């Protein structure tokens, strides 16, 4: 009986036809014995190995910078080392939105112009969603997605920090717009908050929902294209006074709750795709 296994020959298709490939299968014990025999032939200087070990131990003891073991210092380190260009642009966008509302207040100061300001306060905050989307996409365009599990800061942590920071900026800007418009034109803040938050939240759901789809997330302009239907929706709602009565508040509250549930589900799916590497490795890197 032949002691050696015959090589496994198989045909593989190439660009210019078929070619033969040869593969030899070894088990783990054979491979381990081969490596052990190869290591035995390598000359090792015991004195130099001991000196190297001693130098490494001395170098480790002399270091003052120790690995970060306190989880409370992790957010501080993330804020210190993350990119600040897009968040600064996001902050400028929030300031610009408030300045536009203040400028419109000079041209529409009367109580009869309250409807125009409500329409503006429903539409302008939707532009802030693009900053959140671009900040999230910028993290995935760094080209380091494949190494996220081997680095100190994972892509999931950076994405969560970006979402938290952009969410705080958006809520502060939207809250300031609601207070500004509500107090100047004598509109109840609860009513105006529902009118503004519903289209803003649904715009968030649309843009981040596009990022869940493989064929759509590659095209940034599609997110901007959805701003037109949202403006049309706000204009259509503005033309129907029945939607702004006390009895319609229940429908606005139900729409706001539905938007929160949809957005939370999208964030869960989006971070799950980040963990699997579907977004980082297949589309954006």
């Amino acid at each position: 009986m032949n002691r050696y296994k015959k090589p496994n020959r198989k045909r593989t298709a190439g660009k210019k036809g078929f070619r033969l490939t040869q593969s030899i299968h070894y088990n783990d014990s054979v491979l381990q014995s081969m490596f052990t025999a190869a290591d035995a032939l390598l000359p090792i200087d015991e004195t130099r190995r001991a000196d190297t070990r001693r130098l490494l131990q001395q170098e480790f003891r002399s270091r003052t910078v120790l690995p970060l073991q306190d989880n409370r210092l992790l957010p501080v380190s993330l804020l210190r080392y993350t990119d600040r260009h897009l968040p600064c642009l996001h902050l400028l966008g929030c300031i610009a939105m408030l300045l536009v509302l203040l400028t419109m207040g000079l041209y529409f100061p009367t109580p009869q112009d309250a409807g125009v300001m409500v329409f503006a306060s429903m539409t302008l905050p939707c532009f802030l969603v693009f900053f959140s989307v671009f900040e999230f996409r910028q993290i995935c365009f760094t080209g380091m997605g494949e190494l996220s599990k081997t680095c100190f800061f994972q892509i999931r942590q950076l994405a969560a920090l970006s979402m938290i920071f952009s969410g705080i900026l958006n809520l502060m800007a939207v809250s300031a717009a609601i207070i500004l418009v509500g107090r100047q034109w004598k509109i109840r803040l609860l009513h105006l908050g529902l009118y503004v938050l519903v289209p803003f939240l649904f715009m968030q759901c649309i843009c981040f929902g596009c990022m869940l789809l493989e064929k759509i997330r590659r095209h940034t302009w599609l997110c901007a294209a959805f701003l037109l239907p949202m403006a049309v929706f706000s204009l259509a709602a503005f033309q129907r006074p029945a939607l702004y009565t006390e009895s319609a508040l229940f429908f606005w509250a139900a729409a706001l709750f539905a938007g929160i549930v949809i957005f939370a589900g999208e964030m869960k799916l989006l971070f799950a795709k980040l963990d699997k590497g579907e977004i980082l490795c297949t589309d954006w890197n």
Side-chain angles (χ1 to χ4, degrees):
M1 180 180 292
N2 192 359
R3 294 174 55 189
Y4 302 99
K5 185 177 180 180
K6 292 183 179 180
N8 182 19
R9 297 179 180 268
K10 59 182 180 179
R11 293 180 178 270
T12 59
K15 293 183 179 180
K16 297 183 179 180
F18 291 88
R19 59 186 178 86
L20 291 176
T21 59
Q22 180 175 349
S23 61
I24 302 177
H25 301 280
Y26 297 100
N27 52 27
D28 295 338
S29 59
V30 174
L31 290 174
Q32 185 176 3
S33 62
M34 292 174 63
F35 278 105
T36 303
D39 292 340
L41 299 178
L42 296 176
I44 300 176
D45 192 343
E46 297 295 337
T47 304
R48 295 184 62 183
R49 184 168 68 174
D51 294 341
T52 303
R53 182 183 303 172
R54 185 173 60 255
L55 289 174
L56 290 175
Q57 292 175 354
Q58 293 177 358
E59 179 67 21
F60 181 76
R61 296 191 191 98
S62 62
R63 287 188 176 184
T64 57
V65 180
L66 298 178
L68 182 63
Q69 298 178 354
D70 191 356
N71 292 329
R72 292 175 297 181
L73 297 178
L74 182 60
V76 178
S77 300
L78 284 171
L79 291 174
R80 180 180 179 184
Y81 293 108
T82 50
D83 186 19
R84 298 181 181 87
H85 293 88
L86 283 179
C88 290
L89 292 177
H90 192 169
L91 180 60
L92 292 177
C94 295
I95 296 174
M97 183 199 72
L98 295 177
L99 291 177
V100 170
L101 289 177
L102 288 173
T103 305
M104 291 183 65
L106 299 177
Y107 293 94
F108 303 97
T110 61
Q112 290 77 15
D113 300 324
V116 178
M117 296 306 301
V118 169
F119 171 73
S121 59
M122 292 174 63
T123 306
L124 290 178
C126 294
F127 286 95
L128 301 180
V129 180
F130 299 129
F131 291 100
S132 302
V133 174
F134 290 145
E135 290 173 24
F136 193 91
R137 288 173 61 91
Q138 183 64 25
I139 296 174
C140 300
F141 273 122
T142 55
M144 295 295 291
E146 293 86 349
L147 301 178
S148 62
K149 295 300 183 181
T150 62
C151 298
F152 183 76
F153 299 118
Q154 299 181 10
I155 295 295
R156 183 186 180 92
Q157 296 171 346
L158 296 175
L161 177 66
S162 174
M163 293 299 301
I164 292 173
F165 185 76
S166 62
I168 292 174
L169 282 181
N170 288 338
L171 288 178
M172 291 177 60
V174 172
S175 300
I178 292 172
I179 295 174
L180 173 66
V181 176
R183 288 189 175 181
Q184 184 171 354
W185 282 270
K186 308 302 181 182
I187 305 173
R188 294 183 60 180
L189 297 182
L190 177 61
H191 296 185
L192 185 60
L194 290 174
Y195 303 153
V196 174
L197 289 177
V198 168
F200 172 75
L201 192 58
F202 271 93
M203 190 67 190
Q204 293 257 24
C205 295
I206 291 173
C207 291
F208 283 96
C210 293
M211 300 175 71
L212 293 173
L213 303 176
E214 180 178 351
K215 294 183 179 180
I216 299 180
R217 74 168 69 104
R218 303 174 183 176
H219 307 287
T220 311
W221 58 270
L222 283 177
C223 295
F226 284 108
L227 183 62
L228 180 60
M230 190 58 62
V232 173
F233 166 78
S234 300
L235 183 61
F238 171 70
Q239 298 295 331
R240 294 180 176 272
L243 294 177
Y244 298 96
T245 59
E246 293 284 344
S247 59
L249 289 179
F250 173 76
F251 298 100
W252 287 98
L256 180 63
F257 178 76
I260 293 174
V261 173
I262 294 173
F263 185 69
E266 288 179 350
M267 288 296 101
K268 184 177 180 180
L269 290 176
L270 195 60
F271 278 94
K273 286 181 175 292
L274 282 178
D275 289 338
K276 294 179 181 180
E278 295 180 10
I279 296 178
L280 296 171
C281 302
T282 58
D283 294 300
W284 290 350
N285 283 341

